[in-house]
Amino acid sequence: MVTGISIADLAVLGIASGGPVGANRIAAVAKALVPEHWQPTASVIAAVIERNLAAGLLRRAENYPMDQHLLVTAEGSEKIRALLLCPPEELAPSALPAAEAIQFCFLDTTDSETAKTVLFRFQRKLEKRLSSYEQRSAKGPDSGRYKNFWLDMEQRRLESMVRFLTVVSNETAIACGDSQNAAEPLQ
């Protein structure tokens, strides 16, 4: 288990990995990542930045002394990798969709094997969600025009997400030279 884990740590470190970036910019980007699921305050992001500076995961860029541009250290890059591999339920137990989305957003900050592992986990979880949804839907009553519209929309959303992750996973497997582990798309 990773110590000091949170969705805010991953967001701050992930954003700073593209640095040098100002602290105000980190806060603005963090708020814009998945606003429908997670809206951190500027003070929360500021506290996370300070904690990561103190832990040596971030450092101030020397070229920007006046406005505190930040960069991720080598230790910070390892922390990003650990946070990506961490189950999303541990990053944000009350904001699981946000944790999954933020992990997905920062896969570019890590090595291809880690990205492949995380994508595989996302794909399997979505396939389980779709299967569970289909089983629940089959047990429910079929009455109600709007209920049926909603159920159909939800099934299409899950199927679309599974297909999308299959494509992304296949592209990642091919980029890693692992085309034999490319998955078959959902029919």
Side-chain angles (χ1 to χ4, degrees), residues 174-186:
I174 291 167
C176 293
D178 191 14
S179 60
Q180 63 186 358
N181 283 332
E184 288 295 319
L186 181 68

Side-chain angles (χ1 to χ4, degrees), residues 7 37 87-90 92-102 125 129:
I7 189 175
H37 299 293
E89 304 80 33
E90 292 181 21
S94 61
L96 184 59
E100 290 175 336
I102 289 173
K125 280 186 171 187
R129 285 181 193 162

Side-chain angles (χ1 to χ4, degrees), residues 36-70:
E36 64 280 359
H37 299 293
W38 184 62
Q39 270 287 327
T41 64
S43 60
V44 165
I45 298 301
V48 171
I49 289 170
E50 288 305 314
R51 184 175 69 239
N52 282 284
L53 279 165
L57 304 175
L58 289 174
R59 69 175 177 84
R60 288 185 172 79
E62 294 167 9
N63 299 355
Y64 301 90
M66 298 301 288
D67 56 0
Q68 292 193 22
H69 277 65
L70 304 167

